[in-house]
Amino acid sequence: KLLGDLDRLVNRGKNVVLICHSMVTLVPNPAGDDYKRFEPYLQASDKNNIRDRVCGWVDHILFMRMDIAVDEKTKKARGSGTRCVWPQGQPGFRAGSRTLRDEIQIPDGEDGGLWAALFNKEAA
């Protein structure tokens, strides 16, 4: 039902943005040890895997987090004030895009670069 409703919105010319929290899941690896990665926090079970259906439907699965620097002396992590958005997946997180390839850095207080990249427009 959800994807049908979203399809109707797209067919009416609307842009649909789904925002999810992330969760850590164990990924089965047939070539070696299983590993953990961040995935969209959506239901996934053997019978009803909404996460995979939604991830297959969308044009972009973007993973965003703050850049983190670790102080060598104190071993404490601090945010740098810059957020990074990854449009392509890595072993530690699920991401993918039909059109974007490169990481997008967003300085604190700005968001125009992300929207410009998503909608092929100049940043405001």
Side-chain angles (χ1 to χ4, degrees):
K1 283 184 153 184
L2 172 67
L3 296 181
D5 289 344
L6 296 176
D7 278 334
R8 283 188 281 287
L9 289 171
V10 170
N11 290 338
R12 289 177 27 206
K14 305 293 183 187
N15 291 310
V16 175
V17 177
L18 304 174
I19 299 173
C20 297
H21 284 280
S22 61
M23 61 185 284
V24 177
T25 61
L26 187 63
V27 178
N29 181 5
D33 293 336
D34 294 349
Y35 60 95
K36 294 179 182 177
R37 75 175 173 191
F38 288 106
E39 298 234 358
Y41 189 31
L42 296 167
Q43 179 184 356
S45 67
D46 291 338
K47 289 185 176 184
N48 193 10
N49 195 328
I50 294 171
R51 183 183 314 134
D52 285 345
R53 288 184 185 181
V54 169
C55 288
W57 181 85
V58 299
D59 290 332
H60 309 281
I61 302 170
L62 306 174
F63 181 76
M64 176 189 272
R65 73 169 185 205
M66 295 289 287
D67 273 345
I68 300 170
V70 178
D71 185 301
E72 291 299 320
K73 285 186 176 184
T74 64
K75 301 294 183 194
K76 291 185 179 181
R78 294 185 72 153
S80 67
T82 300
R83 293 171 286 167
C84 282
V85 177
W86 287 271
Q88 298 299 320
Q90 295 181 10
F93 57 84
R94 184 173 190 170
S97 174
R98 299 183 198 276
T99 59
L100 301 176
R101 298 287 168 250
D102 299 324
E103 169 186 326
I104 302 166
Q105 292 191 356
I106 304 172
D108 195 23
E110 297 180 25
D111 64 359
L114 175 60
W115 297 113
L118 286 172
F119 298 110
N120 297 317
K121 295 182 180 177
E122 292 295 320

